[in-house]
Amino acid sequence: MNVLFVYAHPEPKSLNGSLKDFSIKHLEDAGHVVQVSDLYAMNWKPSLDAGDTLATKTDTRFDPAKDSQHAFENGLQSEDIAREQEKLLWADTLILQFPLWWFSMPAILKGWVERVYAYGFAYGVGEHSDARWGDRYGEGTLAGKRAMLIVTAGGWESHYGPRGINGPMDHILFPIHHGILYYPGFDVLPPFVIYRTGRMDEARFSQTCDALGQRLDTLGNASPIPFRQQNAGAYAIPELVLRPEIAPDQCGFTAHVA
Ligand code: FAD
C-alpha cells in the first residue's frame, strides 16, 4: 500500500526520530511504498495567510476560507500546499507522528493541516443545503483511506486513564481523530501512544518497536474507531444532533462513537 508519513519533531536524534526511522524501514521492508513529509526538515511554513494563494492580489481583504476555495478551484494554490494534497490523494494510509505538546500536536503540524486542508479539498465538499450538510464525517475527498496517529507523551498512562488528571487520551485526541481525520473521510485506526517517555531505555525502546511493528503490520485490516457517519441516519439534519434514540444516555465525545 502507499503510506504517507507526516512527521513533526525538530530533532532527528530524538525518540521520535528513532521511532520514525524504525517505522519507515518496517513499512518498506513489508513492501509498502512510503512518502515522508518531515515538516521541520522541509522548513514547512505553518501559518495560513494571504501568501497561500498565487492569485493576483486585489485590495479586497484576505478571507482564509474564500481565498482558499478560489485558489483550490483555479489551480492557484501555493506549490507546497498542492504537493501535500497530491501526496494525500496518492496515499492509501496516512500516519501522523508527533510528540504531545500542550495536549495537542506541535504547531508546525497544525499548520500543515490548516494549509493543506483547503476549502473544496477537505471541507466545503458536497451538497450543502437544509437536507444535506456536505460530505464529511465519514465521507469526503479522503474517504476509503485509513489514518493512524503515533504519539509520544511525557505523562504516565494512568494520568491519561478514565479518571486520570489529564483527562482520557481518547478525549484529548478526539479533535484530531474526529475533527481532522474523520471529517474529510478517513477511517481512523486506534492510536499508538507511548507514555512516560522520560523513562525510555534500550530495552523499552526495543519492546516499543516490537509493539509498533505489530500495529504497522495491521494497518490494512485493523478495525477503525466506529465514529458515527453524519449522513447515515444517526443525526437529525440540519441540526446535526444525535437523534433521541441513539445513545440516549450519552453526551460529549463518547456519544459519537458507536
Ligand atoms: P526525547 O526527549 O528525544 O527522548 C525521550 C527519552 O527517550 C530520553 O530519555 C532519551 O534518552 C530516550 N531515547 C531517545 N531515543 C532513544 C532510542 N533510540 N533508544 C532508546 N532510548 C531513546 N507531555 C505530556 O504528556 N502532555 C503534554 O501536554 C506535554 N506538553 C509538552 C509541551 C512541550 C512544549 C514539550 C517540550 C513537551 C511536552 N510534553 C508533554 C512532553 C513531551 O510529550 C515529551 O517530551 C515527548 O513526547 C518526548 O518525545 P521526544 O522524541 O522529544 O523524546
Side-chain angles (χ1 to χ4, degrees):
M1 82 173 71
N2 294 340
V3 180
L4 174 58
F5 202 101
V6 180
Y7 163 75
H9 196 291
E11 173 52 58
K13 292 189 181 128
S14 62
L15 174 61
N16 269 271
S18 298
L19 292 168
K20 182 254 298 172
D21 292 345
F22 167 83
S23 296
I24 293 165
K25 182 170 188 314
H26 190 90
L27 289 164
E28 288 180 342
D29 286 351
H32 304 301
V33 183
V34 185
Q35 289 198 68
V36 183
S37 291
D38 181 344
L39 300 183
Y40 281 95
M42 292 157 67
N43 200 18
W44 177 260
K45 169 184 173 284
S47 8
L48 184 161
D49 59 27
D52 291 342
T53 171
L54 306 179
T56 312
K57 304 285 182 296
T58 65
D59 56 3
T60 55
R61 75 176 182 91
F62 172 60
D63 184 316
K66 279 190 186 150
D67 286 9
S68 168
Q69 179 184 29
H70 181 263
F72 177 73
E73 289 177 354
N74 294 283
L76 291 170
Q77 297 182 110
S78 160
E79 196 195 343
D80 59 345
I81 294 176
R83 201 178 313 125
E84 295 304 302
Q85 289 170 352
E86 279 168 24
K87 290 183 197 172
L88 280 168
L89 294 174
W90 164 88
D92 303 301
T93 296
L94 169 69
I95 294 177
L96 303 181
Q97 188 197 317
F98 57 90
L100 193 70
W101 281 358
W102 288 111
F103 298 89
S104 188
M105 50 173 62
I108 198 169
L109 179 54
K110 180 70 171 5
W112 180 88
V113 175
E114 289 177 14
R115 296 183 62 235
V116 175
Y117 272 30
Y119 190 124
F121 181 78
Y123 70 107
V125 176
E127 176 191 330
H128 283 72
S129 67
D130 273 1
R132 190 176 171 87
W133 202 278
D135 298 345
R136 58 176 203 167
Y137 291 120
E139 297 175 290
T141 303
L142 303 172
K145 302 175 185 290
R146 305 184 138 223
M148 186 179 96
L149 303 183
I150 300 174
V151 183
T152 63
W156 298 17
E157 187 164 5
S158 60
H159 304 174
Y160 292 98
R163 286 165 57 80
I165 189 162
N166 290 341
M169 186 57 85
D170 286 351
H171 289 198
I172 287 163
L173 297 181
F174 185 90
I176 303 175
H177 280 151
H178 192 256
I180 291 177
L181 297 173
Y182 191 58
Y183 189 107
F186 283 110
D187 288 329
V188 185
L189 303 183
F192 186 84
V193 183
I194 299 137
Y195 296 97
R196 209 175 178 182
T197 50
R199 285 300 179 91
M200 188 60 69
D201 57 19
E202 292 303 325
R204 190 174 164 221
F205 181 75
S206 174
Q207 288 165 7
T208 301
C209 288
D210 287 347
L212 177 55
Q214 287 171 23
R215 287 295 309 277
L216 295 173
D217 289 342
T218 63
L219 277 181
N221 52 23
S223 297
I225 301 168
F227 291 128
R228 301 181 194 281
Q229 286 201 7
Q230 173 180 286
N231 297 318
Y235 297 90
I237 297 177
E239 297 82 1
L240 293 175
V241 173
L242 280 169
R243 294 187 186 283
E245 66 274 21
I246 306 287
D249 302 330
Q250 291 184 28
C251 58
F253 294 158
T254 46
H256 303 291
V257 180

